[in-house]
Coordinates of all heavy atoms in Angstrom, one line a residue:
Y14 N 9.8 11.7 3.0 CA 9.8 10.9 1.8 C 9.2 11.6 0.6 O 9.6 11.4 -0.5 CB 9.1 9.6 2.1 CG 9.8 8.7 3.1 CD1 9.2 8.4 4.3 CD2 11.1 8.3 2.9 CE1 9.8 7.6 5.3 CE2 11.8 7.6 3.9 CZ 11.1 7.2 5.1 OH 11.8 6.5 6.0
D15 N 8.1 12.4 0.9 CA 7.5 13.1 -0.2 C 8.5 14.0 -0.9 O 8.5 14.1 -2.2 CB 6.3 13.9 0.3 CG 5.1 13.0 0.7 OD1 5.0 11.9 0.2 OD2 4.3 13.5 1.5
K16 N 9.3 14.7 -0.2 CA 10.3 15.6 -0.8 C 11.3 14.9 -1.7 O 11.6 15.3 -2.8 CB 11.0 16.3 0.4 CG 11.9 17.4 -0.1 CD 12.5 18.2 1.1 CE 13.4 19.4 0.6 NZ 13.9 20.1 1.7
V17 N 11.7 13.7 -1.3 CA 12.6 12.9 -2.1 C 11.9 12.4 -3.3 O 12.5 12.4 -4.4 CB 13.3 11.7 -1.3 CG1 14.1 10.9 -2.2 CG2 14.1 12.2 -0.1
C18 N 10.7 12.0 -3.2 CA 9.9 11.5 -4.3 C 9.8 12.5 -5.4 O 9.8 12.2 -6.6 CB 8.5 11.0 -3.9 SG 8.5 9.6 -2.8
R19 N 9.6 13.8 -5.0 CA 9.4 14.9 -6.0 C 10.8 15.5 -6.4 O 10.8 16.3 -7.3 CB 8.6 16.0 -5.3 CG 7.1 15.5 -5.1 CD 6.3 16.7 -4.7 NE 6.9 17.5 -3.6 CZ 6.6 17.3 -2.3 NH1 5.7 16.4 -1.9 NH2 7.1 18.1 -1.3
N20 N 11.9 15.1 -5.8 CA 13.2 15.7 -6.1 C 13.7 15.2 -7.4 O 14.1 14.0 -7.6 CB 14.1 15.4 -5.0 CG 15.5 16.1 -5.2 OD1 15.8 16.7 -6.2 ND2 16.3 16.1 -4.1
S21 N 13.8 16.1 -8.4 CA 14.2 15.6 -9.8 C 15.7 15.3 -9.8 O 16.2 14.6 -10.7 CB 13.9 16.7 -10.8 OG 14.5 17.9 -10.5
S22 N 16.5 15.8 -8.8 CA 17.9 15.5 -8.8 C 18.2 14.2 -8.0 O 19.3 13.7 -8.1 CB 18.7 16.7 -8.2 OG 18.3 16.8 -6.8
A23 N 17.2 13.6 -7.4 CA 17.4 12.3 -6.7 C 17.5 11.2 -7.7 O 16.8 11.3 -8.8 CB 16.3 12.1 -5.7
T24 N 18.2 10.2 -7.5 CA 18.3 9.1 -8.4 C 17.0 8.3 -8.4 O 16.2 8.4 -7.4 CB 19.5 8.2 -8.0 OG1 19.2 7.5 -6.8 CG2 20.8 8.9 -7.9
A25 N 16.8 7.5 -9.4 CA 15.6 6.7 -9.5 C 15.6 5.7 -8.3 O 14.5 5.4 -7.7 CB 15.6 5.9 -10.8
E26 N 16.8 5.2 -7.9 CA 16.8 4.3 -6.7 C 16.4 5.0 -5.4 O 15.7 4.5 -4.6 CB 18.2 3.7 -6.6 CG 18.3 2.6 -5.5 CD 17.4 1.4 -5.7 OE1 17.1 1.1 -6.9 OE2 17.1 0.8 -4.7
Q27 N 16.9 6.2 -5.3 CA 16.5 7.0 -4.1 C 15.0 7.3 -4.1 O 14.3 7.2 -3.0 CB 17.3 8.3 -4.0 CG 18.7 8.2 -3.7 CD 19.5 9.5 -3.9 OE1 19.2 10.3 -4.8 NE2 20.5 9.7 -3.1
R28 N 14.4 7.6 -5.2 CA 13.0 7.9 -5.3 C 12.2 6.6 -5.1 O 11.2 6.6 -4.4 CB 12.6 8.6 -6.6 CG 13.2 10.0 -6.7 CD 12.6 10.8 -7.9 NE 12.4 10.0 -9.1 CZ 13.2 9.9 -10.1 NH1 14.3 10.6 -10.1 NH2 12.8 9.3 -11.2
A29 N 12.7 5.5 -5.6 CA 12.0 4.2 -5.4 C 12.0 3.9 -3.9 O 10.9 3.4 -3.4 CB 12.7 3.1 -6.2
K30 N 13.1 4.0 -3.2 CA 13.1 3.7 -1.8 C 12.2 4.7 -1.0 O 11.5 4.2 -0.1 CB 14.5 3.9 -1.3 CG 15.4 2.7 -1.7 CD 16.8 2.9 -1.2 CE 17.7 1.7 -1.7 NZ 19.1 1.8 -1.2
A31 N 12.1 5.9 -1.4 CA 11.3 6.9 -0.7 C 9.8 6.5 -0.9 O 9.0 6.5 0.0 CB 11.5 8.3 -1.3
H32 N 9.4 6.1 -2.1 CA 8.0 5.7 -2.4 C 7.7 4.4 -1.6 O 6.6 4.3 -1.0 CB 7.8 5.4 -3.9 CG 7.6 6.6 -4.7 ND1 6.5 7.5 -4.6 CD2 8.4 7.2 -5.7 CE1 6.6 8.5 -5.4 NE2 7.7 8.3 -6.1
Y33 N 8.7 3.5 -1.6 CA 8.5 2.3 -0.8 C 8.2 2.6 0.7 O 7.3 2.1 1.3 CB 9.7 1.3 -1.0 CG 9.6 0.1 -0.1 CD1 8.7 -0.9 -0.3 CD2 10.5 0.0 1.0 CE1 8.7 -2.0 0.5 CE2 10.5 -1.1 1.8 CZ 9.6 -2.1 1.6 OH 9.5 -3.2 2.4
N34 N 9.1 3.4 1.2 CA 9.0 3.8 2.7 C 7.7 4.5 2.9 O 7.1 4.3 4.0 CB 10.2 4.5 3.1 CG 11.4 3.6 3.2 OD1 11.3 2.5 3.6 ND2 12.6 4.1 2.9
A35 N 7.3 5.4 2.0 CA 6.0 6.1 2.2 C 4.9 5.1 2.2 O 3.9 5.2 3.0 CB 5.9 7.2 1.1
G36 N 4.9 4.1 1.3 CA 3.9 3.1 1.3 C 3.9 2.3 2.6 O 2.8 2.0 3.1
N37 N 5.0 2.1 3.2 CA 5.0 1.4 4.4 C 4.4 2.2 5.5 O 3.7 1.6 6.4 CB 6.5 1.1 4.9 CG 7.1 0.0 4.0 OD1 6.4 -0.8 3.4 ND2 8.4 -0.2 4.1
I38 N 4.6 3.5 5.5 CA 3.9 4.4 6.5 C 2.4 4.3 6.4 O 1.7 4.1 7.4 CB 4.4 5.8 6.4 CG1 5.9 5.9 6.8 CG2 3.5 6.8 7.1 CD1 6.5 7.2 6.5
H39 N 1.9 4.4 5.1 CA 0.5 4.3 4.9 C -0.1 2.9 5.3 O -1.2 2.8 5.8 CB 0.1 4.7 3.5 CG 0.4 6.1 3.1 ND1 -0.3 7.1 3.7 CD2 1.3 6.7 2.3 CE1 0.2 8.3 3.3 NE2 1.1 8.0 2.4
L40 N 0.7 1.9 4.9 CA 0.2 0.5 5.3 C 0.1 0.3 6.8 O -0.8 -0.2 7.3 CB 1.1 -0.5 4.7 CG 0.7 -2.0 4.8 CD1 -0.7 -2.3 4.3 CD2 1.7 -2.9 4.2
R41 N 1.1 0.8 7.5 CA 1.1 0.7 9.0 C -0.1 1.5 9.6 O -0.7 1.1 10.5 CB 2.4 1.2 9.6 CG 3.5 0.2 9.4 CD 4.8 0.8 10.0 NE 5.9 -0.1 9.7 CZ 6.8 -0.5 10.5 NH1 6.7 -0.1 11.8 NH2 7.8 -1.3 10.1
K42 N -0.4 2.6 9.0 CA -1.5 3.4 9.4 C -2.8 2.7 9.2 O -3.7 2.6 10.1 CB -1.5 4.8 8.7 CG -2.6 5.7 9.2 CD -2.6 7.0 8.4 CE -3.8 7.9 8.9 NZ -3.9 9.1 8.1
A43 N -2.9 2.0 8.1 CA -4.1 1.2 7.8 C -4.2 0.0 8.8 O -5.3 -0.3 9.3 CB -4.1 0.7 6.4
L44 N -3.1 -0.6 9.0 CA -3.1 -1.8 9.9 C -3.4 -1.4 11.4 O -4.0 -2.1 12.1 CB -1.8 -2.5 9.9 CG -1.5 -3.2 8.6 CD1 0.0 -3.8 8.6 CD2 -2.5 -4.3 8.3
A45 N -3.0 -0.1 11.7 CA -3.3 0.3 13.1 C -4.8 0.5 13.4 O -5.2 0.5 14.6 CB -2.6 1.7 13.3
T46 N -5.6 0.6 12.4 CA -7.0 0.8 12.6 C -7.8 -0.5 12.6 O -9.0 -0.5 12.8 CB -7.6 1.7 11.5 OG1 -7.5 1.0 10.2 CG2 -7.0 3.0 11.5
R47 N -7.1 -1.7 12.5 CA -7.8 -2.9 12.4 C -8.6 -3.3 13.6 O -9.6 -4.0 13.5 CB -6.9 -4.1 12.0 CG -5.9 -4.4 13.1 CD -5.0 -5.6 12.7 NE -3.8 -5.4 13.4 CZ -2.6 -5.8 13.0 NH1 -2.5 -6.5 11.8 NH2 -1.5 -5.6 13.7
D48 N -8.2 -2.8 14.8 CA -9.0 -3.1 16.0 C -10.3 -2.3 16.1 O -11.1 -2.6 16.9 CB -8.1 -2.7 17.2 CG -6.9 -3.6 17.3 OD1 -6.9 -4.7 16.8 OD2 -5.9 -3.2 18.0
T49 N -10.5 -1.4 15.2 CA -11.7 -0.6 15.2 C -12.8 -1.2 14.2 O -13.7 -0.5 13.9 CB -11.5 0.9 14.9 OG1 -10.9 1.0 13.6 CG2 -10.5 1.5 15.9
G50 N -12.5 -2.4 13.7 CA -13.5 -3.0 12.9 C -13.2 -3.1 11.4 O -14.0 -3.5 10.6
G51 N -12.0 -2.6 11.0 CA -11.7 -2.7 9.6 C -10.4 -1.9 9.4 O -9.7 -1.4 10.4
Y52 N -10.0 -1.8 8.2 CA -8.7 -1.1 7.8 C -9.1 0.2 7.2 O -10.1 0.4 6.6 CB -7.9 -2.0 6.8 CG -7.5 -3.3 7.4 CD1 -8.2 -4.5 7.0 CD2 -6.5 -3.4 8.2 CE1 -7.8 -5.7 7.5 CE2 -6.1 -4.6 8.7 CZ -6.7 -5.8 8.4 OH -6.4 -7.0 8.9
D53 N -8.2 1.2 7.4 CA -8.4 2.5 6.8 C -8.2 2.4 5.3 O -7.1 2.3 4.8 CB -7.4 3.5 7.5 CG -7.5 4.9 6.9 OD1 -8.4 5.2 6.2 OD2 -6.6 5.7 7.2
A54 N -9.3 2.4 4.6 CA -9.2 2.3 3.1 C -8.4 3.4 2.4 O -7.7 3.1 1.5 CB -10.6 2.2 2.5
Q55 N -8.5 4.6 2.9 CA -7.8 5.7 2.3 C -6.3 5.5 2.5 O -5.6 5.7 1.5 CB -8.2 7.0 3.0 CG -7.5 8.2 2.4 CD -7.9 9.5 3.1 OE1 -8.6 9.6 4.0 NE2 -7.4 10.6 2.5
S56 N -5.9 5.0 3.6 CA -4.4 4.7 3.8 C -4.0 3.5 2.9 O -2.9 3.5 2.4 CB -4.1 4.4 5.3 OG -4.3 5.5 6.1
L57 N -4.9 2.5 2.8 CA -4.5 1.4 1.9 C -4.4 1.9 0.4 O -3.5 1.5 -0.3 CB -5.6 0.3 2.0 CG -5.6 -0.5 3.2 CD1 -6.8 -1.4 3.3 CD2 -4.3 -1.3 3.4
H58 N -5.3 2.8 0.0 CA -5.2 3.3 -1.4 C -3.8 4.1 -1.6 O -3.2 3.9 -2.6 CB -6.3 4.2 -1.7 CG -7.6 3.5 -2.0 ND1 -7.8 2.8 -3.2 CD2 -8.7 3.4 -1.3 CE1 -9.0 2.2 -3.2 NE2 -9.6 2.6 -2.1
K59 N -3.5 4.9 -0.6 CA -2.2 5.6 -0.6 C -1.0 4.7 -0.7 O -0.1 4.9 -1.4 CB -2.1 6.6 0.5 CG -3.1 7.8 0.4 CD -2.9 8.7 1.6 CE -3.9 9.9 1.5 NZ -3.7 10.8 2.7
A60 N -1.1 3.6 0.2 CA 0.0 2.6 0.2 C 0.1 2.0 -1.2 O 1.3 1.8 -1.7 CB -0.3 1.6 1.3
I61 N -1.0 1.6 -1.8 CA -1.0 1.0 -3.1 C -0.3 1.9 -4.1 O 0.5 1.5 -4.9 CB -2.4 0.5 -3.5 CG1 -2.8 -0.7 -2.6 CG2 -2.5 0.2 -5.0 CD1 -4.3 -1.0 -2.7
D62 N -0.7 3.1 -4.1 CA -0.1 4.1 -5.0 C 1.4 4.3 -4.9 O 2.1 4.3 -5.9 CB -0.8 5.5 -4.9 CG -2.3 5.5 -5.4 OD1 -2.7 4.6 -6.1 OD2 -3.0 6.4 -5.0
E63 N 1.8 4.3 -3.6 CA 3.2 4.4 -3.3 C 4.0 3.2 -3.8 O 5.1 3.3 -4.4 CB 3.5 4.7 -1.9 CG 3.0 6.1 -1.4 CD 3.7 7.3 -2.0 OE1 4.8 7.1 -2.6 OE2 3.2 8.4 -1.8
Y64 N 3.5 2.0 -3.5 CA 4.2 0.8 -3.9 C 4.2 0.7 -5.4 O 5.3 0.3 -6.0 CB 3.5 -0.5 -3.3 CG 3.6 -0.6 -1.8 CD1 2.6 -0.9 -1.0 CD2 4.9 -0.3 -1.2 CE1 2.7 -1.0 0.3 CE2 5.0 -0.4 0.2 CZ 3.9 -0.7 0.9 OH 4.0 -0.8 2.3
K65 N 3.2 1.1 -6.1 CA 3.2 1.1 -7.6 C 4.3 2.0 -8.1 O 5.0 1.7 -9.1 CB 1.8 1.5 -8.1 CG 0.8 0.4 -8.0 CD -0.5 0.8 -8.6 CE -1.6 -0.3 -8.5 NZ -2.9 0.2 -9.1
A66 N 4.3 3.2 -7.5 CA 5.4 4.2 -7.9 C 6.8 3.6 -7.7 O 7.6 3.8 -8.5 CB 5.2 5.5 -7.2
A67 N 7.0 3.0 -6.6 CA 8.3 2.4 -6.3 C 8.6 1.3 -7.3 O 9.7 1.2 -7.8 CB 8.3 1.7 -4.9
L68 N 7.6 0.5 -7.7 CA 7.9 -0.6 -8.7 C 8.1 0.0 -10.1 O 8.8 -0.7 -10.9 CB 6.7 -1.6 -8.6 CG 6.7 -2.4 -7.4 CD1 5.4 -3.2 -7.2 CD2 7.9 -3.4 -7.3
R69 N 7.5 1.1 -10.4 CA 7.8 1.7 -11.7 C 9.2 2.1 -11.8 O 9.8 2.0 -12.9 CB 6.9 2.9 -11.9 CG 5.5 2.6 -12.4 CD 4.7 3.8 -12.9 NE 4.4 4.8 -11.9 CZ 3.3 4.7 -11.1 NH1 2.5 3.7 -11.2 NH2 3.2 5.6 -10.1
L70 N 9.8 2.5 -10.7 CA 11.2 2.9 -10.7 C 12.2 1.8 -10.5 O 13.3 1.8 -10.9 CB 11.4 4.0 -9.6 CG 10.7 5.3 -9.8 CD1 10.6 6.1 -8.5 CD2 11.4 6.1 -10.9
N71 N 11.7 0.7 -9.8 CA 12.5 -0.5 -9.5 C 11.6 -1.7 -9.5 O 11.1 -2.1 -8.4 CB 13.3 -0.3 -8.2 CG 14.1 -1.5 -7.9 OD1 14.2 -2.5 -8.7 ND2 14.7 -1.5 -6.7
C72 N 11.4 -2.3 -10.6 CA 10.5 -3.4 -10.7 C 11.0 -4.7 -10.0 O 10.3 -5.7 -9.9 CB 10.2 -3.7 -12.2 SG 11.6 -4.2 -13.2
K73 N 12.3 -4.7 -9.6 CA 12.8 -5.9 -8.9 C 12.7 -5.8 -7.4 O 13.2 -6.7 -6.7 CB 14.3 -6.0 -9.3 CG 14.5 -6.3 -10.8 CD 16.0 -6.4 -11.1 CE 16.1 -6.6 -12.6 NZ 17.5 -6.8 -13.0
N74 N 12.0 -4.8 -6.9 CA 11.8 -4.7 -5.4 C 10.8 -5.7 -5.0 O 9.6 -5.4 -5.0 CB 11.4 -3.2 -5.1 CG 11.4 -3.0 -3.6 OD1 11.2 -3.9 -2.8 ND2 11.5 -1.7 -3.2
T75 N 11.2 -6.8 -4.5 CA 10.3 -7.9 -4.1 C 9.5 -7.5 -2.8 O 8.4 -7.9 -2.7 CB 11.0 -9.2 -3.9 OG1 12.1 -9.0 -2.9 CG2 11.6 -9.7 -5.1
D76 N 10.1 -6.7 -2.0 CA 9.4 -6.2 -0.8 C 8.2 -5.3 -1.2 O 7.1 -5.5 -0.6 CB 10.3 -5.4 0.2 CG 11.3 -6.3 0.8 OD1 11.0 -7.6 1.0 OD2 12.4 -5.8 1.2
A77 N 8.4 -4.5 -2.2 CA 7.3 -3.6 -2.6 C 6.2 -4.5 -3.3 O 5.0 -4.2 -3.2 CB 7.8 -2.5 -3.6
Q78 N 6.7 -5.5 -4.1 CA 5.7 -6.4 -4.7 C 4.8 -7.1 -3.7 O 3.6 -7.2 -3.8 CB 6.4 -7.4 -5.6 CG 7.1 -6.8 -6.8 CD 8.0 -7.8 -7.5 OE1 8.2 -8.9 -7.1 NE2 8.6 -7.4 -8.6
Y79 N 5.5 -7.6 -2.6 CA 4.8 -8.3 -1.6 C 3.8 -7.4 -0.9 O 2.6 -7.7 -0.6 CB 5.8 -8.9 -0.6 CG 5.1 -9.6 0.6 CD1 4.6 -10.9 0.5 CD2 4.8 -8.9 1.8 CE1 3.9 -11.5 1.5 CE2 4.2 -9.5 2.8 CZ 3.7 -10.8 2.7 OH 3.1 -11.4 3.7
N80 N 4.3 -6.2 -0.5 CA 3.4 -5.2 0.3 C 2.3 -4.7 -0.6 O 1.2 -4.5 -0.1 CB 4.3 -4.1 0.8 CG 5.2 -4.5 2.0 OD1 5.1 -5.7 2.4 ND2 6.0 -3.6 2.5
L81 N 2.5 -4.6 -1.9 CA 1.4 -4.2 -2.8 C 0.4 -5.2 -2.8 O -0.8 -4.9 -2.7 CB 2.0 -3.9 -4.2 CG 1.0 -3.6 -5.3 CD1 0.2 -2.4 -5.0 CD2 1.6 -3.5 -6.6
S82 N 0.8 -6.5 -2.9 CA -0.2 -7.6 -2.9 C -1.0 -7.6 -1.6 O -2.2 -7.8 -1.6 CB 0.5 -8.9 -3.1 OG -0.3 -10.0 -3.0
L83 N -0.3 -7.4 -0.5 CA -0.9 -7.4 0.8 C -1.9 -6.3 1.0 O -3.1 -6.5 1.4 CB 0.1 -7.3 1.9 CG -0.4 -7.2 3.4 CD1 -1.2 -8.4 3.8 CD2 0.8 -6.9 4.3
A84 N -1.5 -5.1 0.6 CA -2.4 -3.9 0.6 C -3.7 -4.2 -0.2 O -4.8 -3.8 0.2 CB -1.7 -2.7 0.2
K85 N -3.5 -4.7 -1.4 CA -4.7 -5.0 -2.2 C -5.6 -6.1 -1.6 O -6.8 -5.9 -1.7 CB -4.2 -5.5 -3.6 CG -3.7 -4.4 -4.5 CD -3.2 -5.0 -5.8 CE -2.8 -4.0 -6.8 NZ -2.4 -4.5 -8.1
Q86 N -5.0 -7.1 -1.0 CA -5.8 -8.1 -0.3 C -6.6 -7.5 0.9 O -7.8 -7.8 1.1 CB -5.0 -9.2 0.2 CG -4.5 -10.1 -0.9 CD -3.5 -11.2 -0.4 OE1 -3.0 -11.1 0.7 NE2 -3.3 -12.2 -1.2
L87 N -6.0 -6.6 1.6 CA -6.6 -6.0 2.7 C -7.7 -5.0 2.3 O -8.7 -4.8 3.0 CB -5.6 -5.2 3.6 CG -4.6 -6.1 4.3 CD1 -3.6 -5.2 5.0 CD2 -5.2 -7.0 5.3
L88 N -7.6 -4.5 1.1 CA -8.6 -3.5 0.6 C -9.8 -4.2 0.1 O -10.9 -3.7 0.2 CB -7.9 -2.7 -0.5 CG -8.8 -1.5 -1.1 CD1 -9.1 -0.5 0.0 CD2 -8.1 -0.8 -2.2
R89 N -9.7 -5.4 -0.4 CA -10.8 -6.1 -1.0 C -12.1 -6.2 -0.1 O -13.1 -5.8 -0.6 CB -10.4 -7.5 -1.4 CG -10.0 -7.6 -2.9 CD -9.8 -8.9 -3.4 NE -8.8 -8.8 -4.4 CZ -7.6 -9.5 -4.3 NH1 -7.4 -10.3 -3.3 NH2 -6.7 -9.3 -5.2
P90 N -12.0 -6.6 1.1 CA -13.2 -6.6 2.0 C -13.8 -5.3 2.2 O -15.0 -5.1 2.3 CB -12.7 -7.2 3.3 CG -11.4 -8.0 3.0 CD -10.8 -7.2 1.8
E91 N -12.9 -4.2 2.2 CA -13.4 -2.9 2.4 C -14.2 -2.4 1.2 O -15.2 -1.8 1.3 CB -12.2 -1.9 2.6 CG -11.4 -2.1 3.8 CD -12.2 -1.8 5.1 OE1 -13.0 -1.0 5.1 OE2 -11.9 -2.5 6.1
Q92 N -13.8 -2.8 0.0 CA -14.5 -2.5 -1.2 C -15.8 -3.2 -1.3 O -16.8 -2.8 -2.0 CB -13.7 -2.7 -2.4 CG -12.5 -1.8 -2.6 CD -11.6 -2.1 -3.8 OE1 -11.6 -3.2 -4.3 NE2 -10.9 -1.1 -4.3
Q93 N -15.9 -4.4 -0.7 CA -17.1 -5.2 -0.7 C -18.1 -4.8 0.4 O -19.1 -5.5 0.6 CB -16.8 -6.7 -0.7 CG -15.9 -7.1 -1.8 CD -15.4 -8.5 -1.7 OE1 -15.7 -9.2 -0.7 NE2 -14.7 -9.0 -2.6
G94 N -17.8 -3.8 1.1 CA -18.8 -3.3 2.0 C -18.5 -3.7 3.5 O -19.4 -3.7 4.3
G95 N -17.3 -4.0 3.8 CA -17.1 -4.3 5.2 C -16.2 -5.5 5.5 O -15.5 -5.9 4.6
G96 N -16.3 -6.0 6.7 CA -15.4 -7.0 7.1 C -15.7 -8.4 6.7 O -15.5 -9.3 7.5
G97 N -16.2 -8.6 5.5 CA -16.4 -9.9 5.0 C -17.7 -10.4 5.5 O -18.7 -9.7 5.6
G98 N -17.8 -11.7 5.8 CA -19.0 -12.3 6.3 C -18.8 -13.8 6.4 O -19.7 -14.6 6.4
G99 N -17.6 -14.1 6.7 CA -17.2 -15.5 6.9 C -17.3 -16.3 5.6 O -17.3 -17.6 5.7
G100 N -17.4 -15.7 4.5 CA -17.5 -16.5 3.2 C -18.8 -17.1 2.9 O -19.0 -18.0 2.1
Q101 N -19.9 -16.7 3.7 CA -21.2 -17.3 3.5 C -21.9 -16.4 2.5 O -21.9 -15.2 2.5 CB -22.0 -17.3 4.8 CG -21.3 -18.2 5.8 CD -22.0 -18.0 7.2 OE1 -22.9 -17.2 7.3 NE2 -21.6 -18.8 8.1
N102 N -22.6 -17.1 1.6 CA -23.4 -16.4 0.6 C -24.9 -16.3 1.1 O -25.4 -17.3 1.7 CB -23.5 -17.2 -0.8 CG -22.1 -17.2 -1.4 OD1 -21.4 -16.2 -1.3 ND2 -21.8 -18.3 -2.1
Q103 N -25.5 -15.2 0.9 CA -26.9 -15.0 1.3 C -27.7 -15.2 0.0 O -27.4 -14.6 -1.0 CB -27.1 -13.6 1.9 CG -26.4 -13.4 3.2 CD -26.6 -12.0 3.7 OE1 -27.0 -11.2 3.0 NE2 -26.4 -11.9 5.0
Q104 N -28.8 -15.9 0.2 CA -29.7 -16.1 -0.9 C -31.1 -15.5 -0.5 O -31.5 -15.5 0.6 CB -30.0 -17.6 -1.2 CG -28.7 -18.3 -1.7 CD -29.0 -19.8 -1.9 OE1 -30.0 -20.3 -1.5 NE2 -28.0 -20.4 -2.6
Q105 N -31.7 -14.9 -1.5 CA -33.0 -14.2 -1.3 C -34.1 -15.0 -1.9 O -34.0 -15.6 -2.9 CB -33.0 -12.8 -1.8 CG -32.1 -11.9 -1.0 CD -32.2 -10.5 -1.5 OE1 -32.8 -10.2 -2.5 NE2 -31.5 -9.6 -0.8

């Protein structure tokens, strides 16, 4: 997919599909690590970048829009320092 994404002779639609599929690979990689206590943040970031690139080339790709939203939601707990906390606030 990387080769198609960089191929200047590929159509915008071909490059959009390649970015979308590359995003799916990174998202699946991130999801595969969920049993180890969290999601692979690096793979989520890569997935987000690929979905954004796909949407720049084809803004009507609803699957890319959905997967981008999902990847961002999965990344949020990682950015906050881990697997959440059940929504409980700690007071000092």
Side-chain angles (χ1 to χ4, degrees):
Y14 296 118
D15 290 336
K16 189 174 182 179
V17 174
C18 292
R19 293 188 310 261
N20 186 350
S21 61
S22 64
T24 67
E26 185 62 27
Q27 290 170 327
R28 290 193 324 263
K30 287 179 181 180
H32 281 293
Y33 171 73
N34 287 323
N37 287 343
I38 290 171
H39 292 297
L40 184 58
R41 284 180 188 227
K42 183 178 176 185
L44 293 174
T46 63
R47 70 179 150 207
D48 293 337
T49 62
Y52 300 102
D53 178 11
Q55 182 179 6
S56 293
L57 287 173
H58 283 290
K59 289 179 180 180
I61 289 168
D62 291 343
E63 293 293 350
Y64 293 134
K65 286 180 178 179
L68 289 168
R69 279 192 294 274
L70 294 164
N71 178 5
C72 64
K73 295 180 183 181
N74 185 337
T75 57
D76 291 331
Q78 292 170 357
Y79 176 84
N80 287 358
L81 173 61
S82 176
L83 175 63
K85 285 180 175 181
Q86 287 176 344
L87 294 174
L88 187 60
R89 267 190 214 118
E91 297 294 328
Q92 290 178 335
Q93 296 172 2
Q101 298 173 352
N102 293 327
Q103 293 179 342
Q104 295 180 347
Q105 293 183 353

